[in-house]
Amino acid sequence: MPQFNSKVQHKTYEKGEFTDEKDRSLADTLELINTFPWDMERTLTAVQLTGPSVTIRDEDVNYLKIGLFFNGKYCLYYLDNDNHLYEYHAQEMEDVSQMVTNFFNSALDLSLFEKHLINIGNKAHFETCYFEYRENPWRILMLNVMLLVYAVLLTIGDVALFFKYSRWPGGLVLGIASVLFYYFIFRIFYNAFVNRDNYLQISRGSDVFSFGYTSRTVNVYHKTEIKEIRSYGNRGPSKNPNLIEAFEIVFKNDETIQFTNMLIGSFDFHSKFQDSMSNPTILFSPGKKGFLKVL
């Protein structure tokens, strides 16, 4: 009897987040399924591909995922190695066990399953993601493209005023504003350069996360030790070109770590502190000190 890779997913986990992953025999896999807290995890849980489940992968990279369905039933999702998705609803756990046994014996009858017509993005619900984040040039450029456009326009205005109205006081005012704006841009790109080796590993369902300023100084932290998370970003009018948002995690021992959405997107980072129904588990508060002080 072969051993297939299996792993579990709880209701607080996000897409691609799994734990307890290892190769198991059929007997061990059935034990894993039967001891999973199905009834406990049904409460406030949406029926979808990502949710409380046990996922099994065979030697040919076909997946069988056992999840929850309505009215106390179970939903079995089968994803073949050509990305075709099938769905079957089981009344009882005995039916689930039989399907898993057939899967191990390469005898799963797909005629009992309903085939999905749309097969886009299915694998992300079955494959393991490690949720590692690093700064990359493309993200930095996209977040700062409007600032760079403003800088070019401001430079053109400076040059035009200098040659045409060099004695006009407005030129001096624009020049001072330009210097401040260029300094703001410099601080953002300087931050990106200094922290180019930043590393963050964080998922929604795990209490433990890792962060470091270089690949050699990565430290482990716990969400339960966080006192508050402060965010510093664009809270001005919609035409404000600044898309950079900085985060400051303050722990109960007053230790802090800081990084920006050049490392991890703002939406992604906020989602790491939500429960299975997208309610915040740790609130984000607006920072009171200056934005540049965080950078």
Side-chain angles (χ1 to χ4, degrees), residues 3 12 22 51 54-55 86 94 112 122 136 141 144 147 160 209 217 222 224 226 252 260-261 266-267 269 278 287:
Q3 287 194 337
T12 57
K22 66 178 182 180
V54 175
T55 301
Y86 302 79
E94 289 75 12
L112 302 174
N122 291 329
N136 66 78
L141 178 62
N144 290 284
L147 281 175
F209 66 99
T217 58
H222 294 265
T224 53
I226 295 176
K252 294 176 182 177
T260 71
N261 58 343
S266 300
F267 178 81
F269 184 60
S278 298

mmCIF file of all heavy atoms in Angstrom, residues 3 12 22 51 54-55 86 94 112 122 136 141 144 147 160 209 217 222 224 226 252 260-261 266-267 269 278 287:
data_model
loop_
_atom_site.group_PDB
_atom_site.id
_atom_site.type_symbol
_atom_site.label_atom_id
_atom_site.label_comp_id
_atom_site.label_asym_id
_atom_site.label_seq_id
_atom_site.Cartn_x
_atom_site.Cartn_y
_atom_site.Cartn_z
ATOM 1 N N GLN A 3 2.208 5.282 0.317
ATOM 2 C CA GLN A 3 2.047 6.374 1.262
ATOM 3 C C GLN A 3 1.877 7.663 0.456
ATOM 4 O O GLN A 3 2.705 7.985 -0.394
ATOM 5 C CB GLN A 3 3.260 6.481 2.189
ATOM 6 C CG GLN A 3 3.341 5.378 3.231
ATOM 7 C CD GLN A 3 4.335 5.704 4.330
ATOM 8 O OE1 GLN A 3 5.253 6.493 4.144
ATOM 9 N NE2 GLN A 3 4.140 5.098 5.491
ATOM 10 N N THR A 12 -9.193 29.099 10.217
ATOM 11 C CA THR A 12 -8.510 30.395 10.274
ATOM 12 C C THR A 12 -7.403 30.519 9.233
ATOM 13 O O THR A 12 -6.807 31.587 9.085
ATOM 14 C CB THR A 12 -7.895 30.616 11.665
ATOM 15 O OG1 THR A 12 -7.008 29.531 11.970
ATOM 16 C CG2 THR A 12 -8.976 30.695 12.735
ATOM 17 N N LYS A 22 2.884 15.539 5.833
ATOM 18 C CA LYS A 22 3.853 14.448 5.727
ATOM 19 C C LYS A 22 3.224 13.293 4.960
ATOM 20 O O LYS A 22 2.008 13.271 4.713
ATOM 21 C CB LYS A 22 4.313 13.991 7.109
ATOM 22 C CG LYS A 22 3.241 13.355 7.970
ATOM 23 C CD LYS A 22 3.832 12.891 9.300
ATOM 24 C CE LYS A 22 2.789 12.213 10.175
ATOM 25 N NZ LYS A 22 3.367 11.754 11.460
ATOM 26 N N GLY A 51 -10.713 26.055 3.411
ATOM 27 C CA GLY A 51 -11.462 25.975 4.656
ATOM 28 C C GLY A 51 -11.035 24.740 5.424
ATOM 29 O O GLY A 51 -10.050 24.076 5.069
ATOM 30 N N VAL A 54 -8.843 18.212 4.942
ATOM 31 C CA VAL A 54 -7.662 17.355 4.858
ATOM 32 C C VAL A 54 -7.394 17.131 3.380
ATOM 33 O O VAL A 54 -8.296 16.734 2.634
ATOM 34 C CB VAL A 54 -7.879 16.012 5.572
ATOM 35 C CG1 VAL A 54 -6.667 15.100 5.349
ATOM 36 C CG2 VAL A 54 -8.116 16.216 7.064
ATOM 37 N N THR A 55 -6.177 17.413 2.939
ATOM 38 C CA THR A 55 -5.817 17.304 1.526
ATOM 39 C C THR A 55 -4.797 16.190 1.336
ATOM 40 O O THR A 55 -3.805 16.102 2.063
ATOM 41 C CB THR A 55 -5.244 18.634 1.007
ATOM 42 O OG1 THR A 55 -6.220 19.662 1.190
ATOM 43 C CG2 THR A 55 -4.891 18.544 -0.463
ATOM 44 N N TYR A 86 -13.175 18.377 -9.781
ATOM 45 C CA TYR A 86 -14.406 17.610 -9.617
ATOM 46 C C TYR A 86 -14.876 17.751 -8.163
ATOM 47 O O TYR A 86 -14.073 17.958 -7.260
ATOM 48 C CB TYR A 86 -14.188 16.132 -9.945
ATOM 49 C CG TYR A 86 -13.661 15.863 -11.341
ATOM 50 C CD1 TYR A 86 -12.311 16.030 -11.644
ATOM 51 C CD2 TYR A 86 -14.514 15.424 -12.355
ATOM 52 C CE1 TYR A 86 -11.825 15.772 -12.917
ATOM 53 C CE2 TYR A 86 -14.030 15.155 -13.634
ATOM 54 C CZ TYR A 86 -12.693 15.334 -13.909
ATOM 55 O OH TYR A 86 -12.209 15.073 -15.168
ATOM 56 N N GLU A 94 -18.434 7.579 6.705
ATOM 57 C CA GLU A 94 -18.149 6.273 6.115
ATOM 58 C C GLU A 94 -17.983 6.383 4.598
ATOM 59 O O GLU A 94 -17.135 5.722 3.998
ATOM 60 C CB GLU A 94 -19.272 5.277 6.437
ATOM 61 C CG GLU A 94 -19.343 4.824 7.889
ATOM 62 C CD GLU A 94 -19.915 5.880 8.814
ATOM 63 O OE1 GLU A 94 -20.476 6.893 8.312
ATOM 64 O OE2 GLU A 94 -19.813 5.712 10.047
ATOM 65 N N LEU A 112 -19.085 9.702 -10.380
ATOM 66 C CA LEU A 112 -19.919 10.108 -9.252
ATOM 67 C C LEU A 112 -19.725 11.584 -8.905
ATOM 68 O O LEU A 112 -20.500 12.147 -8.129
ATOM 69 C CB LEU A 112 -19.600 9.248 -8.021
ATOM 70 C CG LEU A 112 -19.777 7.730 -8.174
ATOM 71 C CD1 LEU A 112 -19.284 7.019 -6.920
ATOM 72 C CD2 LEU A 112 -21.243 7.402 -8.439
ATOM 73 N N ASN A 122 -7.296 26.961 -9.511
ATOM 74 C CA ASN A 122 -7.645 25.860 -8.599
ATOM 75 C C ASN A 122 -6.465 25.397 -7.751
ATOM 76 O O ASN A 122 -6.613 25.120 -6.558
ATOM 77 C CB ASN A 122 -8.182 24.670 -9.395
ATOM 78 C CG ASN A 122 -9.532 24.949 -10.023
ATOM 79 O OD1 ASN A 122 -10.327 25.705 -9.471
ATOM 80 N ND2 ASN A 122 -9.795 24.362 -11.180
ATOM 81 N N ASN A 136 10.888 43.641 -3.862
ATOM 82 C CA ASN A 136 11.309 43.426 -5.245
ATOM 83 C C ASN A 136 11.179 44.729 -6.017
ATOM 84 O O ASN A 136 10.299 45.554 -5.730
ATOM 85 C CB ASN A 136 10.498 42.307 -5.905
ATOM 86 C CG ASN A 136 9.033 42.653 -6.079
ATOM 87 O OD1 ASN A 136 8.673 43.399 -6.992
ATOM 88 N ND2 ASN A 136 8.175 42.104 -5.217
ATOM 89 N N LEU A 141 8.770 50.088 -7.839
ATOM 90 C CA LEU A 141 8.504 51.000 -8.961
ATOM 91 C C LEU A 141 7.019 51.322 -9.062
ATOM 92 O O LEU A 141 6.645 52.489 -9.231
ATOM 93 C CB LEU A 141 8.995 50.370 -10.259
ATOM 94 C CG LEU A 141 8.740 51.186 -11.533
ATOM 95 C CD1 LEU A 141 9.467 52.519 -11.464
ATOM 96 C CD2 LEU A 141 9.164 50.396 -12.760
ATOM 97 N N ASN A 144 5.754 53.774 -6.532
ATOM 98 C CA ASN A 144 6.338 55.119 -6.594
ATOM 99 C C ASN A 144 6.218 55.785 -7.959
ATOM 100 O O ASN A 144 6.762 56.872 -8.153
ATOM 101 C CB ASN A 144 7.819 55.056 -6.201
ATOM 102 C CG ASN A 144 8.014 54.748 -4.731
ATOM 103 O OD1 ASN A 144 7.826 55.600 -3.877
ATOM 104 N ND2 ASN A 144 8.397 53.525 -4.426
ATOM 105 N N LEU A 147 4.765 59.291 -7.822
ATOM 106 C CA LEU A 147 5.707 60.240 -7.226
ATOM 107 C C LEU A 147 6.772 60.649 -8.233
ATOM 108 O O LEU A 147 7.165 61.824 -8.310
ATOM 109 C CB LEU A 147 6.373 59.609 -6.000
ATOM 110 C CG LEU A 147 5.556 59.576 -4.698
ATOM 111 C CD1 LEU A 147 6.318 58.823 -3.628
ATOM 112 C CD2 LEU A 147 5.232 60.981 -4.224
ATOM 113 N N ALA A 160 11.445 75.998 -16.003
ATOM 114 C CA ALA A 160 10.728 77.056 -16.720
ATOM 115 C C ALA A 160 10.701 78.355 -15.921
ATOM 116 O O ALA A 160 10.940 79.443 -16.464
ATOM 117 C CB ALA A 160 9.304 76.595 -17.024
ATOM 118 N N PHE A 209 5.472 34.173 13.445
ATOM 119 C CA PHE A 209 5.955 34.754 12.202
ATOM 120 C C PHE A 209 7.409 35.166 12.360
ATOM 121 O O PHE A 209 7.924 35.281 13.482
ATOM 122 C CB PHE A 209 5.089 35.945 11.760
ATOM 123 C CG PHE A 209 5.138 37.150 12.666
ATOM 124 C CD1 PHE A 209 5.939 38.236 12.363
ATOM 125 C CD2 PHE A 209 4.355 37.203 13.821
ATOM 126 C CE1 PHE A 209 5.974 39.355 13.183
ATOM 127 C CE2 PHE A 209 4.382 38.327 14.644
ATOM 128 C CZ PHE A 209 5.193 39.395 14.326
ATOM 129 N N THR A 217 19.811 37.738 10.029
ATOM 130 C CA THR A 217 19.299 38.177 11.328
ATOM 131 C C THR A 217 17.775 38.103 11.357
ATOM 132 O O THR A 217 17.101 39.097 11.615
ATOM 133 C CB THR A 217 19.746 39.621 11.629
ATOM 134 O OG1 THR A 217 19.266 40.487 10.572
ATOM 135 C CG2 THR A 217 21.256 39.718 11.719
ATOM 136 N N HIS A 222 5.699 36.247 18.008
ATOM 137 C CA HIS A 222 4.379 35.660 18.211
ATOM 138 C C HIS A 222 3.322 36.757 18.151
ATOM 139 O O HIS A 222 3.485 37.825 18.747
ATOM 140 C CB HIS A 222 4.309 34.938 19.562
ATOM 141 C CG HIS A 222 5.200 33.746 19.651
ATOM 142 N ND1 HIS A 222 4.764 32.465 19.381
ATOM 143 C CD2 HIS A 222 6.515 33.635 19.965
ATOM 144 C CE1 HIS A 222 5.766 31.618 19.538
ATOM 145 N NE2 HIS A 222 6.837 32.306 19.879
ATOM 146 N N THR A 224 0.527 36.800 19.580
ATOM 147 C CA THR A 224 -0.073 37.022 20.900
ATOM 148 C C THR A 224 0.725 38.005 21.736
ATOM 149 O O THR A 224 0.225 38.512 22.747
ATOM 150 C CB THR A 224 -0.192 35.689 21.661
ATOM 151 O OG1 THR A 224 1.092 35.041 21.686
ATOM 152 C CG2 THR A 224 -1.201 34.768 20.997
ATOM 153 N N ILE A 226 1.877 40.851 20.499
ATOM 154 C CA ILE A 226 1.735 42.177 19.895
ATOM 155 C C ILE A 226 0.800 43.047 20.739
ATOM 156 O O ILE A 226 -0.298 42.624 21.107
ATOM 157 C CB ILE A 226 1.189 42.064 18.455
ATOM 158 C CG1 ILE A 226 2.211 41.354 17.570
ATOM 159 C CG2 ILE A 226 0.868 43.454 17.895
ATOM 160 C CD1 ILE A 226 1.716 41.117 16.157
ATOM 161 N N LYS A 252 4.482 43.782 23.453
ATOM 162 C CA LYS A 252 4.171 44.069 24.858
ATOM 163 C C LYS A 252 5.411 44.430 25.662
ATOM 164 O O LYS A 252 5.315 45.091 26.696
ATOM 165 C CB LYS A 252 3.460 42.867 25.475
ATOM 166 C CG LYS A 252 2.085 42.611 24.865
ATOM 167 C CD LYS A 252 1.436 41.355 25.429
ATOM 168 C CE LYS A 252 0.090 41.094 24.760
ATOM 169 N NZ LYS A 252 -0.538 39.828 25.237
ATOM 170 N N THR A 260 7.633 48.561 5.291
ATOM 171 C CA THR A 260 6.645 49.246 4.465
ATOM 172 C C THR A 260 5.936 48.255 3.551
ATOM 173 O O THR A 260 6.289 47.078 3.482
ATOM 174 C CB THR A 260 7.302 50.344 3.604
ATOM 175 O OG1 THR A 260 8.087 49.716 2.576
ATOM 176 C CG2 THR A 260 8.191 51.240 4.452
ATOM 177 N N ASN A 261 4.943 48.768 2.812
ATOM 178 C CA ASN A 261 4.245 47.904 1.860
ATOM 179 C C ASN A 261 5.061 47.650 0.606
ATOM 180 O O ASN A 261 4.565 47.050 -0.355
ATOM 181 C CB ASN A 261 2.878 48.496 1.485
ATOM 182 C CG ASN A 261 2.969 49.888 0.880
ATOM 183 O OD1 ASN A 261 3.975 50.580 0.996
ATOM 184 N ND2 ASN A 261 1.892 50.308 0.231
ATOM 185 N N SER A 266 -0.322 46.170 1.481
ATOM 186 C CA SER A 266 -1.126 46.585 2.630
ATOM 187 C C SER A 266 -2.311 45.653 2.856
ATOM 188 O O SER A 266 -2.601 45.253 3.990
ATOM 189 C CB SER A 266 -1.637 48.014 2.419
ATOM 190 O OG SER A 266 -0.557 48.913 2.275
ATOM 191 N N PHE A 267 -3.014 45.293 1.791
ATOM 192 C CA PHE A 267 -4.164 44.402 1.927
ATOM 193 C C PHE A 267 -3.722 43.041 2.456
ATOM 194 O O PHE A 267 -4.365 42.470 3.350
ATOM 195 C CB PHE A 267 -4.878 44.246 0.587
ATOM 196 C CG PHE A 267 -6.042 43.295 0.628
ATOM 197 C CD1 PHE A 267 -7.281 43.707 1.103
ATOM 198 C CD2 PHE A 267 -5.889 41.979 0.198
ATOM 199 C CE1 PHE A 267 -8.356 42.821 1.153
ATOM 200 C CE2 PHE A 267 -6.959 41.095 0.243
ATOM 201 C CZ PHE A 267 -8.196 41.517 0.722
ATOM 202 N N PHE A 269 -1.081 42.319 4.243
ATOM 203 C CA PHE A 269 -0.631 42.396 5.635
ATOM 204 C C PHE A 269 -1.815 42.501 6.587
ATOM 205 O O PHE A 269 -1.842 41.841 7.628
ATOM 206 C CB PHE A 269 0.310 43.591 5.823
ATOM 207 C CG PHE A 269 0.889 43.683 7.204
ATOM 208 C CD1 PHE A 269 1.664 42.652 7.718
ATOM 209 C CD2 PHE A 269 0.658 44.791 8.006
ATOM 210 C CE1 PHE A 269 2.202 42.725 9.000
ATOM 211 C CE2 PHE A 269 1.185 44.878 9.273
ATOM 212 C CZ PHE A 269 1.960 43.832 9.778
ATOM 213 N N SER A 278 -13.141 37.100 8.318
ATOM 214 C CA SER A 278 -12.504 38.368 7.945
ATOM 215 C C SER A 278 -12.702 39.471 8.970
ATOM 216 O O SER A 278 -12.622 40.660 8.642
ATOM 217 C CB SER A 278 -13.015 38.844 6.570
ATOM 218 O OG SER A 278 -12.677 37.903 5.573
ATOM 219 N N GLY A 287 -0.677 55.905 12.977
ATOM 220 C CA GLY A 287 0.494 56.368 13.706
ATOM 221 C C GLY A 287 0.436 57.850 13.984
ATOM 222 O O GLY A 287 -0.097 58.639 13.198
#
